[in-house]
Amino acid sequence: MTNSFVWSWLTVALVTALVLSLYELYRKREKRGGVRGARVPRGSNGWPFIGESLDFISCALSSKPESFVDKRRILYGKVFKTHLFGAHTILSSDVEVSRFILHSDAKTFVPDYPSSLMELMGKSSILVCNGDLQRRVHGLVGYFLKSGQLRDQVTSDLVRRMDGAMKDWKDGEVVLIQDQAKSILFPILVKALIGLEPGNDMHFIRYQFQEFVAGLISFPIKLPGSQLQRSLQAKKRIAAIIKRILQKKRNNIKGRIPRDAIDVLISDNNDELTDELISDNMVDFMIPAEDSVPVLITLVIKYLSECPRALHQLEDENMKLKNRKLMLGENLSWTDYLSLSFTQDVISESLRMGNVIVSTWRKAVRDVEIKGLLIPKGWRVISYLRFMHLAEENYKDPYEFNPWRWRENDINRCSFMPFGAGQRLCPGMDLARLEAAIFLHHLVTNFTWVAEEDQVVNFPTVRMKGGMPIRAIRKKQAVQMQ
Ligand code: HEM
């Protein structure tokens, strides 16, 4: 009896000592001072294991995902600590801190997205890899995506595909803009990346691709039948087709002007750019074709449908350009589309309000101090772009769709980061703006429309729940009907 009593007490004492020393260790780490006595930002770790993940997800599922930041900003300030998806996390809604993070190189911060996404991208993906290799691939592909040759090709392909699709639209019938934008745009970017023309392989890739993207934000478990496993297999199937194309290209690249991203990468004669690396990266580069750009276009059309004054001004700007070109007997070039300044302001405003990419995720590879705050080595740092785009301190009446604000001088342009910033600034940003401008031009100069009820969904990715249904009426007929 006495023995067991002693043992029980000893056990309790040992466990208490262990817990206290672990707590002390944790406290020291939290309070660790930097050179100038920087402190880990204030905040809460939430519940054991799950941290504050449930609240983060429940806010993300609401119409105001930024409410997660809103609540904590009042308590702890613009930069606070939290615990999300199993990682100590610092969340920044501060423009200066976020820009510092995005402009830092891989000696300070490296990408650290959810594990399903990192697994599907693989180590060699430009979105994951660091240092010279990331800079090389980013530079080569970025330069190609900005080239006049590619913009010419994208412009003529997109105009042709839009004309083809719009021919099938019956007056007054429902058209799902999100689906239309995806099926029109996907083959255009795939051609720009791997040189493939529409056909059976394109159909197969698109079909497999939908399975691939379904796993990007999924449960990180690689069991047979799990979404992650199915997505990995889909990526392998797509990569196999790309490798076949790549090998053909390698055999006759000499003296040929690069026509797509694969040509550009193999012309670099860099041993690090293996077939494996190129084909895997090409699959990852396809994500904006199925997701970001079509969603941006869909959001622009949603906001325009709710703001007749902006729609009228955009229509006017585009009709003037169309008529001028008709009089001159010329086709529109990519420079014409990009010269539509109000159209670009409408696109900027839609990027600000819609936040196609909500946040960027990094991990600190060393202790980092900024503005008296310490970001400890190994911690995840989320720059919450959406909050900065919807903060009153950066934009007056932030929830009001106001494309005219982009002409005003007092706007805080540094806070506008829909395409990220720094080393990983999106290499496809100009292409995305061009594609959106072409789509809008052909829609508003040929059709009027009435939007049906729909709503924005923000999690796991941004999209319109019902695909943004509109009832479109061909313009000539609309005039006759008046
Ligand atoms: C509306 C359309 C788009 C949006 C909102 C968007 C947004 C972004 C953002 C925020 C990043 C930075 C990610 C980070 O810092 O971790 C990024 C990177 C990237 N984007 Fe885009 N993007 C769009 C279209 C495109 C297009 C058309 C392409 C062309 C293929 C593209 C290719 C890439 C690539 C390759 C990266 C990674 C760059 C690197 O890590 O070096 N994006 N994008």
Side-chain angles (χ1 to χ4, degrees):
M1 179 75 180
T2 327
N3 254 354
S4 71
F5 180 76
V6 170
W7 276 114
S8 315
W9 270 108
L10 256 176
T11 318
V12 170
L14 268 171
V15 170
T16 314
L18 189 71
V19 169
L20 283 177
S21 43
L22 278 175
Y23 176 70
E24 187 56 19
L25 247 173
Y26 174 75
R27 217 171 51 86
K28 271 192 188 150
R29 181 173 167 76
E30 296 271 292
K31 291 218 160 151
R32 189 173 54 204
V35 186
R36 288 174 298 278
R39 292 281 181 273
V40 173
R42 288 181 301 143
S44 159
N45 288 320
W47 297 92
F49 305 112
I50 53 169
E52 298 194 293
S53 311
L54 290 184
D55 196 29
F56 184 83
I57 293 175
S58 96
C59 291
L61 287 169
S62 75
S63 59
K64 268 191 146 189
E66 61 278 14
S67 54
F68 180 84
V69 183
D70 243 340
K71 287 184 239 170
R72 286 156 182 83
R73 238 171 93 109
I74 298 165
L75 293 171
Y76 313 121
K78 290 183 189 177
V79 183
F80 57 87
K81 78 163 182 201
T82 172
H83 199 278
L84 295 175
F85 311 112
H88 281 298
T89 303
I90 306 273
L91 207 146
S92 164
S93 61
D94 180 276
V95 174
E96 205 185 321
V97 172
S98 302
R99 290 196 79 84
F100 170 82
I101 294 162
L102 292 175
H103 280 270
S104 298
D105 65 16
K107 288 185 193 122
T108 312
F109 291 105
V110 292
D112 186 32
Y113 283 99
S115 40
S116 54
L117 194 139
M118 299 291 270
E119 176 80 39
L120 272 171
M121 295 292 139
K123 282 194 195 82
S124 62
S125 169
I126 182 180
L127 292 154
V128 174
C129 73
N130 296 298
D132 288 347
L133 189 59
Q134 179 265 336
R135 276 196 294 273
R136 190 77 196 140
V137 177
H138 187 122
L140 286 167
V141 177
Y143 184 73
F144 174 67
L145 292 177
K146 286 188 187 74
S147 67
Q149 168 209 346
L150 181 80
R151 290 179 186 191
D152 278 340
Q153 177 186 307
V154 166
T155 303
S156 62
D157 284 352
L158 184 45
V159 170
R160 193 163 5 94
R161 285 190 69 81
M162 277 215 71
D163 284 346
M166 289 189 319
K167 238 185 259 153
D168 295 336
W169 295 4
K170 306 249 168 2
D171 275 349
E173 253 181 35
V174 167
V175 174
L176 294 179
I177 285 294
Q178 195 164 261
D179 291 0
Q180 288 283 318
K182 284 182 183 196
S183 55
I184 291 172
L185 289 170
F186 188 78
I188 294 173
L189 187 60
V190 172
K191 179 175 164 190
L193 295 173
I194 64 174
L196 186 70
E197 293 287 347
N200 288 343
D201 277 350
M202 185 70 84
H203 273 299
F204 181 80
I205 289 183
R206 176 127 201 259
Y207 180 73
Q208 294 297 330
F209 196 77
Q210 275 151 3
E211 185 75 278
F212 166 68
V213 284
L216 287 176
I217 311 283
S218 66
F219 218 60
I221 291 188
K222 262 201 296 177
L223 287 175
S226 67
Q227 181 58 60
L228 184 58
Q229 187 68 18
R230 291 206 305 271
S231 298
L232 281 166
Q233 282 162 352
K235 182 171 186 180
K236 263 193 197 151
R237 289 185 206 111
I238 305 171
I241 298 188
I242 301 178
K243 257 189 218 158
R244 217 177 54 215
I245 296 172
L246 210 153
Q247 272 147 17
K248 263 197 212 151
K249 281 176 172 291
R250 281 214 194 269
N251 293 336
N252 58 19
I253 188 68
K254 268 203 188 116
R256 202 156 56 79
I257 298 169
R259 280 196 295 242
D260 49 57
I262 291 189
D263 283 350
V264 172
L265 292 173
I266 57 181
S267 305
D268 193 45
N269 286 325
N270 181 335
D271 289 344
E272 274 190 290
L273 301 180
T274 60
D275 287 6
E276 197 83 35
L277 182 141
I278 296 176
S279 50
D280 271 2
N281 267 287
M282 290 301 107
V283 183
D284 303 342
F285 271 71
M286 288 175 194
I287 297 172
E290 179 67 23
D291 198 66
S292 327
V293 188
V295 170
L296 167 62
I297 289 170
T298 309
L299 289 170
V300 176
I301 289 162
K302 169 199 145 56
Y303 293 127
L304 282 175
S305 308
E306 292 164 358
C307 183
R309 190 177 145 222
L311 176 58
H312 182 73
Q313 190 169 332
L314 183 129
E315 210 177 328
D316 192 48
E317 180 179 65
N318 280 272
M319 282 311 292
K320 278 187 182 138
L321 175 66
K322 183 175 177 170
N323 291 336
R324 202 173 68 237
K325 287 300 211 180
L326 270 174
M327 295 237 299
L328 294 168
E330 285 174 8
N331 288 331
L332 273 78
S333 68
W334 60 267
T335 48
D336 293 320
Y337 291 107
L338 289 180
S339 71
L340 294 160
S341 57
F342 185 69
T343 303
Q344 284 306 322
D345 290 345
V346 165
I347 294 170
S348 298
E349 184 69 351
S350 306
L351 283 161
R352 182 189 70 79
M353 282 189 74
N355 292 288
V356 178
I357 305 290
V358 176
S359 53
T360 55
W361 295 33
R362 299 285 188 271
K363 183 165 75 182
V365 288
R366 60 175 179 82
D367 280 358
V368 183
E369 283 183 42
I370 163 111
K371 285 177 102 174
L373 298 169
L374 172 72
I375 302 175
K377 180 180 172 181
W379 281 39
R380 179 178 277 162
V381 195
I382 298 180
S383 298
Y384 207 80
L385 308 175
R386 183 179 167 103
F387 192 94
M388 290 177 268
H389 292 163
L390 293 170
E392 184 83 50
E393 70 211 30
N394 299 327
Y395 302 93
K396 193 168 165 269
D397 300 325
Y399 289 92
E400 199 179 291
F401 182 75
N402 175 7
W404 299 277
R405 72 171 82 239
W406 296 96
R407 297 285 131 185
E408 288 162 13
N409 290 331
D410 59 350
I411 200 162
N412 179 2
R413 281 172 205 278
C414 286
S415 65
F416 186 55
M417 292 179 265
F419 295 103
Q423 303 234 332
R424 291 179 181 270
L425 174 70
C426 176
M429 58 187 265
D430 298 331
L431 190 64
R433 282 183 174 276
L434 173 64
E435 290 186 329
I438 298 175
F439 197 104
L440 282 173
H441 177 85
H442 288 267
L443 182 66
V444 301
T445 56
N446 288 296
F447 289 91
T448 58
W449 72 84
V450 178
E452 305 265 290
E453 194 67 26
D454 201 357
Q455 71 186 79
V456 179
V457 176
N458 291 295
F459 189 79
T461 54
V462 176
R463 65 196 182 285
M464 293 301 286
K465 192 173 185 184
M468 185 70 214
I470 61 164
R471 288 186 191 275
I473 298 177
R474 216 165 289 274
K475 272 219 159 141
K476 218 167 89 194
Q477 208 152 331
V479 171
Q480 281 167 6
M481 279 167 64
Q482 285 168 358

